Amino acid sequence: MAEKTKSVLLPVVAAAVFAGLGRMVLQKVRADRRARESNVAGPLDAKTRAWISEVVRTPRQ
C-alpha cells in the first residue's frame, strides 16, 4: 500500500504565525516597560489638569 504523505506546510505556517505573535508580544512588553521608566509626559500643573478634565467631561456635539 502507498503511504500517505503528510504536508509540512501547515506546521511551518503555524510555527511562523506563533513566532510572529510572540515577537509582537515581546515588543509590546518592552515598549510598555520603556514608557513606564521614562516619564515623558512629566508632572502636570493644576491648570493643565483642570483643562484636561473639562475637555474629557464635555460631551461632543
Side-chain angles (χ1 to χ4, degrees):
M1 283 198 268
E3 293 183 24
K4 286 187 175 180
T5 59
K6 293 190 177 184
S7 175
V8 182
L9 183 62
L10 184 60
V12 169
V13 170
V17 168
F18 284 120
L21 289 174
R23 185 170 178 249
M24 287 172 53
V25 168
L26 285 176
Q27 286 178 343
K28 174 72 170 140
V29 168
R30 288 181 185 146
D32 287 349
R33 193 174 294 153
R34 278 195 306 268
R36 206 175 329 125
E37 289 172 355
S38 65
N39 193 3
V40 176
L44 299 175
D45 60 348
K47 182 180 177 184
T48 306
R49 282 185 198 272
W51 178 79
I52 291 172
S53 179
E54 180 183 335
V55 169
V56 170
R57 291 180 186 170
T58 305
R60 294 184 180 178
Q61 296 179 2

